[in-house]
Amino acid sequence: MDLKEKLLSSYLAFEEKFDDHSSLHDIRNHAIKNFETKGFPSKKEEAWKYTSLNAVLKNDYSVFPKSEPAIEFKDVKKYFLHDIDTYKLVFIDGKFSSFLSQTTHDGIDVCLLSSVLNKPKYKLILDTYFNQVASKEESLTTLNTAFAQEGAFINIPKGKIADKPVEIVHFSTGSEAAIMLQPRNLVIVGENAHVQIIERHQSLNENPVLTNSVTEVFAQKRAICDYYKLQNDVETANLIDNTYIAQKQESRVSVHTFSFGGNITRNNLNFYHQGERIDSTLKGITIIGNKQHVDHYTLVQHAQPNCESHQNYKGIFGDSATGVFNGKIYVEKEAQKTDAFQQNNNILLSDKATINAKPQLEIFADDVKCSHGCTIGQLDESAMFYMQQRGIPKKEARALLMYAFSNEVIESIKLPDLKHRITKIIANKLGVNLGFDL
């Protein structure tokens, strides 16, 4: 039985646990039928032209973990931020860990999605937001929708500012020979509200993992949401991260994606403008080697006038690593006075490393300011020579150049402790001590 057949048969048992008359029943059934029709994406599809899941899908994944292994905080302490206090939503093999988590209902909601899906008092929120911006046609998103049960629920009401950042951490223990996880996050940032979120997926051993994650973010009028995705997993982990963001008038949403680990990582990031004077920021750093593969697929749909979007992705690829950047800016006829910028810069450290870049602009308005650029090259040999002439060893000179190349994105991180963590990870990836006080 292949993975698709296993998932379809597992769905029947999964759906039996829920009330047939619940509002989710029709949503789940429509979603699984879409996945049954389309199956897993292949390279025949334009959006997946440079990323193949064939090797990943050959593993015999457990869809529902059979055990609930305990994890001691000391074993996973290094994966959390420590210099600042945070709310924590921790999931172990797809199940919530109350021992490692810190939730709240005090003025804001930082809790479990299952609370929303299964409790009548949240029915209005469910009907208003759940599965409203996520794609109902993209096969992996609908697969997640069919099995959606657990993940993070963050609701920041009107006028509230989250008093501390929220950490969402998904651990895979390796208690199964191979496991597939499908977390679902729902984030609502009310009018004039503000929240900062850090998300991480982390395997604790080398057993294969396939994570198919979906996050929906709703930013109301003048809301601010800063979302940071830290992807530094072991090289037997595979992540498909689907994020859908709906923005209302004058809201500001930024998503920073740091891709350093994993086997195959696919980031689908989609912004939809639903009001005027919106600001969207998409930034990322990718540093990979060996045979790692990272694919960024972005979409910003400008549908209203006077909005801005800014994309800046940096990639460093060594050994036989492969990178993909497919960024699309879509400007509808009504979206006059749009200011959209997209930049993708890449460095290849090896003759065997590959980058496939496809920046796209589709503009149907005539009064806009839109631009995109893409560069692919190697380290500047004259700069290397200059630094070596001043006593800096070759290895450190290379690392400094690569850090400087990434620094434009690093400097835009608003959380100092996270900035230090990212800097330290980059130093480790580059194999040097950059001399920062971390």
Side-chain angles (χ1 to χ4, degrees):
M1 182 184 297
D2 65 17
L3 183 57
K4 179 182 175 182
E5 293 172 341
K6 189 174 188 177
L7 287 163
L8 293 174
S9 61
S10 298
Y11 174 76
L12 298 176
F14 175 77
E15 180 67 359
E16 282 180 0
K17 298 187 297 182
F18 303 98
D19 181 3
D20 284 351
H21 301 290
S22 71
S23 56
L24 278 177
H25 182 71
D26 290 342
I27 293 175
R28 293 188 196 277
N29 282 344
H30 181 274
I32 199 66
K33 287 176 183 176
N34 181 79
F35 174 73
E36 183 177 14
T37 301
K38 295 186 175 180
F40 287 98
S42 71
K43 295 181 75 171
K44 293 180 181 179
E45 300 176 35
E46 184 64 26
W48 288 82
K49 182 177 180 180
Y50 302 109
T51 299
S52 172
L53 298 177
N54 290 343
V56 174
L57 300 178
K58 290 179 180 178
N59 290 308
D60 184 17
Y61 295 104
S62 172
V63 178
F64 303 114
K66 302 178 181 65
S67 60
E68 296 185 39
I71 293 179
E72 297 290 333
F73 179 71
K74 61 181 176 62
D75 298 326
V76 295
K77 180 180 178 181
K78 63 182 179 180
Y79 299 116
F80 296 97
L81 299 179
H82 300 293
D83 290 350
I84 55 173
D85 190 19
T86 62
Y87 294 112
K88 296 176 179 64
L89 289 164
V90 180
F91 302 88
I92 301 174
D93 290 341
K95 297 182 180 180
F96 177 66
S97 170
S98 58
F99 175 70
L100 295 176
S101 300
Q102 181 189 353
T103 62
T104 184
H105 293 283
D106 185 15
I108 64 175
D109 284 313
V110 178
C111 59
L112 307 182
L113 182 64
S114 56
S115 300
V116 179
L117 299 181
N118 302 325
K119 293 184 179 179
K121 72 174 184 177
Y122 286 109
K123 186 178 186 305
L124 180 60
I125 289 178
L126 176 67
D127 293 343
T128 303
Y129 295 106
F130 181 77
N131 205 46
Q132 294 304 304
V133 67
S135 173
K136 297 174 180 60
E137 300 299 327
E138 202 280 323
S139 63
L140 289 172
T141 298
T142 57
L143 174 62
N144 178 285
T145 299
F147 285 93
Q149 171 61 13
E150 198 56 282
F153 174 64
I154 300 170
N155 182 22
I156 314 298
K158 179 179 178 179
K160 294 286 186 178
I161 297 177
D163 56 326
K164 49 190 176 182
V166 180
E167 287 188 87
I168 306 171
V169 185
H170 297 271
F171 289 115
S172 171
T173 64
S175 60
E176 308 281 347
I179 190 171
M180 182 175 185
L181 302 173
Q182 300 203 73
R184 180 74 171 232
N185 303 319
L186 178 58
V187 179
I188 305 165
V189 191
E191 187 174 327
N192 295 313
H194 185 190
V195 68
Q196 296 174 306
I197 301 169
I198 307 107
E199 183 179 22
R200 181 168 190 156
H201 300 266
Q202 187 63 50
S203 302
L204 301 180
N205 73 4
E206 301 295 326
N207 285 0
V209 180
L210 173 57
T211 301
N212 178 36
S213 176
V214 172
T215 299
E216 292 182 284
V217 178
F218 296 87
Q220 306 299 344
K221 291 182 180 179
R222 294 177 296 279
I224 301 175
C225 178
D226 299 315
Y227 208 121
Y228 301 95
K229 295 176 179 287
L230 180 53
Q231 301 168 344
N232 191 31
D233 213 341
V234 300
E235 291 187 23
T236 51
N238 304 280
L239 172 63
I240 298 148
D241 189 295
N242 308 282
T243 303
Y244 299 89
I245 299 168
Q247 291 185 248
K248 297 292 187 182
Q249 177 181 334
E250 297 179 41
S251 61
R252 297 170 59 191
V253 177
S254 67
V255 177
H256 288 67
T257 306
F258 303 101
S259 303
F260 305 127
N263 175 33
I264 290 179
T265 302
R266 164 76 175 218
N267 292 299
N268 297 319
L269 182 55
N270 306 272
F271 280 74
Y272 300 98
H273 289 184
Q274 300 175 352
E276 294 191 39
R277 293 180 295 281
I278 287 170
D279 190 291
S280 303
T281 299
L282 303 77
K283 293 189 177 185
I285 298 174
T286 300
I287 303 177
I288 55 174
N290 297 326
K291 294 183 179 180
Q292 292 176 279
H293 181 104
V294 171
D295 182 345
H296 294 289
Y297 190 93
T298 69
L299 166 67
V300 181
Q301 186 175 40
H302 287 266
Q304 299 291 332
N306 303 300
C307 296
E308 298 184 15
S309 66
H310 308 274
Q311 299 185 54
N312 192 359
Y313 283 81
K314 306 280 190 175
I316 300 174
F317 305 94
D319 303 320
S320 298
T322 303
V324 182
F325 178 79
N326 192 332
K328 184 175 181 179
I329 297 171
Y330 188 93
V331 183
E332 296 187 12
K333 184 178 180 180
E334 295 79 9
Q336 303 293 340
K337 303 294 184 181
T338 288
D339 186 352
F341 170 80
Q342 181 188 89
Q343 185 69 34
N344 173 229
N345 302 111
N346 304 282
I347 293 176
L348 300 181
L349 301 177
S350 162
D351 292 339
K352 296 181 179 179
T354 305
I355 175 68
N356 300 285
K358 186 182 177 183
Q360 300 177 73
L361 296 176
E362 292 191 29
I363 303 171
F364 298 94
D366 53 15
D367 186 8
V368 301
K369 181 182 178 182
C370 297
S371 63
H372 66 75
C374 177
T375 62
I376 301 171
Q378 298 174 324
L379 291 175
D380 187 340
E381 291 297 329
S382 61
M384 285 281 295
F385 178 78
Y386 179 87
M387 287 192 287
Q388 287 178 268
Q389 287 295 303
R390 280 147 185 81
I392 301 175
K394 183 177 181 179
K395 184 177 181 181
E396 282 70 19
R398 282 167 57 90
L400 285 170
L401 284 178
M402 288 185 280
Y403 180 81
F405 173 77
S406 308
N407 193 52
E408 186 178 356
V409 175
I410 297 171
E411 285 301 309
S412 65
I413 301 172
K414 297 178 182 178
L415 293 168
D417 189 42
L418 181 61
K419 184 183 293 187
H420 287 183
R421 176 69 62 89
I422 296 298
T423 302
K424 187 172 183 179
I425 291 173
I426 291 175
N428 289 337
K429 290 288 291 185
L430 301 180
V432 296
N433 181 356
L434 292 174
F436 296 100
D437 181 18
L438 300 174

